């Protein structure tokens, strides 16, 4: 298969949630620019605006408004893809919100809203797509085409002090991605997660202004969208169960967690005293502040720095 065919999405159908603005909009347009038809989801009329942009690119789109935390919306989105365009090939779970607060200030609503939009929203659409692809695979008598691209965050391995809800939701999304990749692989489906950074309305106060490479903002969501559209293509068929950090001019493949140290009871059964004798001295020799948080990921941030 030539590179052009391997990266062509003509005849494919994608669903993108939270696609009325920001990263989701950029992802929907990137997929459409490669030939895909797109079901554009958001909670308001902005979804219709993005459909018009897709049509201006010469592709096809349909808007489906609704809150991704409504479990039934997953079925509606899959039905819209199949009814409007005849297939479902790509799912991009993007919709999200933030409700940042220190844990001692966090309300039940802060927690529930973030978990519902991020984790439940990802699960609802992934589940509906899985039902469709499983049935399609049985009907075809073999594997079918399917891509799931989930949106996690570096927060899941950093655990920011004011983002207990967000970090927990994103960690759950990574676990959901791995389970999806294992459960659907035999049907030909891949599932991967991205941890993006992009300048959008939700993050406008986080990133400083900047341009790079011909005037394209170093934090432009289009940069992330290019990688998402790659993961959606036939070229990415062997990429499954992976987590990528994506922003600026780079993509980083995350390594799986490893066992740092194994502690073994001397006579087969630990006592509290033996834990104190083994675990405390080992932990005390670690670099100050080192724990499970992947602080080293911060070193990736060289956005805008030329070699």
């Amino acid at each position: 298969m030539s590179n052009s065919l391997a990266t062509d999405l003509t005849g494919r159908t994608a669903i993108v949630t939270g696609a009325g603005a920001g990263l989701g909009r950029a992802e929907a347009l990137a997929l459409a620019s490669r030939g895909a038809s797109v079901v554009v989801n958001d909670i308001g009329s902005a979804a219709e605006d993005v459909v018009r942009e897709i049509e201006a690119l010469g592709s096809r789109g349909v808007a489906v408004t609704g809150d991704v935390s409504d479990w039934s919306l997953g079925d509606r989105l899959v039905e819209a893809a199949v009814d409007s365009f005849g297939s479902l090939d790509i799912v991009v779970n993007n919709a999200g919100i933030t409700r940042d607060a220190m844990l001692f200030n966090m309300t039940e609503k802060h927690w529930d809203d973030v978990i519902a939009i991020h984790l439940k929203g990802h699960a609802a659409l992934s589940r509906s797509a899985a039902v469709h692809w499983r049935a399609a695979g049985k009907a075809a008598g073999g594997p079918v085409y399917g891509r799931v691209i989930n949106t996690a965050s570096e927060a899941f391995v950093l655990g920011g002090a004011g983002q207990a809800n967000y970090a927990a939701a994103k960690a759950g999304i990574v676990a959901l991605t791995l389970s999806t990749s294992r459960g659907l692989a035999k049907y030909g489906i891949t599932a991967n997660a991205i941890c993006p950074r992009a300048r959008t309305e939700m993050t406008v106060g986080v990133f400083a202004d900047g341009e790079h490479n011909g005037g394209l903002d170093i934090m432009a969501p289009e940069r992330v969208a290019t990688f998402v559209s790659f993961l959606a293509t036939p070229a990415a068929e062997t990429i499954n169960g992976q987590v990528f950090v994506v922003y600026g001019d780079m993509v980083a493949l995350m390594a799986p967690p490893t066992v740092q140290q194994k502690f073994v009871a001397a006579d087969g059964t630990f006592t509290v005293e033996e834990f104190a004798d083994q675990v405390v001295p080992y932990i005390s020799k670690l670099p100050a502040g080192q724990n499970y948080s992947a602080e080293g990921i911060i070193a990736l941030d060289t956005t805008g720095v030329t070699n």
Side-chain angles (χ1 to χ4, degrees):
M1 184 183 294
S2 70
N3 286 338
S4 61
L5 290 176
T7 56
D8 184 23
L9 293 175
T10 300
R12 304 292 184 190
T13 301
I15 298 170
V16 184
T17 65
L23 182 55
R25 170 184 170 274
E27 290 166 338
L29 294 175
L31 293 166
S33 71
R34 303 210 72 84
S37 300
V38 186
V39 177
V40 180
N41 160 256
D42 215 300
I43 57 174
S45 60
E48 297 283 1
D49 298 333
V50 176
V51 168
R52 285 189 283 272
E53 291 186 87
I54 288 170
E55 291 171 344
L57 293 172
S59 193
R60 298 185 297 168
V62 63
V64 177
T65 58
D67 185 330
V68 293
S69 67
D70 177 354
W71 191 259
S72 67
L73 180 64
D75 288 341
R76 286 177 52 210
L77 291 170
V78 172
E79 288 167 5
V82 175
D83 291 348
S84 299
F85 308 120
S87 68
L88 173 62
D89 306 286
I90 302 152
V91 165
V92 181
N93 281 305
N94 165 75
I97 60 171
T98 55
R99 297 291 184 269
D100 293 353
M102 295 298 290
L103 189 57
F104 42 77
N105 289 327
M106 187 167 292
T107 66
E108 183 178 8
K109 185 169 176 56
H110 286 152
W111 178 269
D112 287 348
D113 286 353
V114 169
I115 297 297
I117 297 297
H118 287 278
L119 184 52
K120 183 181 178 184
H122 273 60
L125 177 53
S126 296
R127 177 261 173 197
S128 295
V131 170
H132 169 80
W133 282 323
R134 180 171 179 261
K138 287 186 173 182
V144 295
Y145 192 100
R147 304 282 187 268
V148 177
I149 301 153
N150 289 334
T151 308
S153 168
E154 294 160 272
F156 95 92
V157 287
L158 289 173
Q163 291 192 310
N165 49 2
Y166 184 77
K170 293 305 189 181
I173 286 169
V174 171
L176 172 65
T177 304
L178 297 178
S179 181
T180 303
S181 73
R182 290 180 184 274
L184 299 185
K186 67 180 180 180
Y187 301 109
I189 314 305
T190 66
N192 297 284
I194 62 166
C195 300
R197 295 189 197 180
R199 195 187 321 283
T200 66
E201 287 186 17
M202 193 171 78
T203 64
V204 68
V206 177
F207 303 120
D209 291 338
E211 293 185 353
H212 186 65
N213 288 349
L216 181 62
D217 186 341
I218 191 65
M219 300 305 291
E222 289 78 10
R223 294 175 179 271
V224 177
T226 299
F227 186 67
V228 168
S229 60
F230 158 71
L231 288 177
T233 66
E237 66 178 346
T238 60
I239 302 174
N240 193 27
Q242 303 291 354
V243 178
F244 299 89
V245 177
V246 187
Y247 61 87
D249 57 1
M250 67 104 221
V251 172
L253 174 63
M254 294 291 290
T258 60
V259 175
Q260 178 172 315
Q261 178 68 17
K262 180 179 179 180
F263 304 98
V264 179
D267 64 358
T269 303
F270 268 113
T271 64
V272 170
E273 290 74 18
E274 190 177 4
F275 279 127
D277 289 341
Q278 286 199 45
V279 179
V280 173
Y282 182 85
I283 297 294
S284 68
K285 293 176 183 177
L286 296 177
Q290 178 178 313
N291 56 27
Y292 195 74
S293 178
E295 298 290 338
I297 203 170
I298 296 170
L300 288 173
D301 193 359
T302 58
T303 49
V305 177
T306 57
N307 294 327

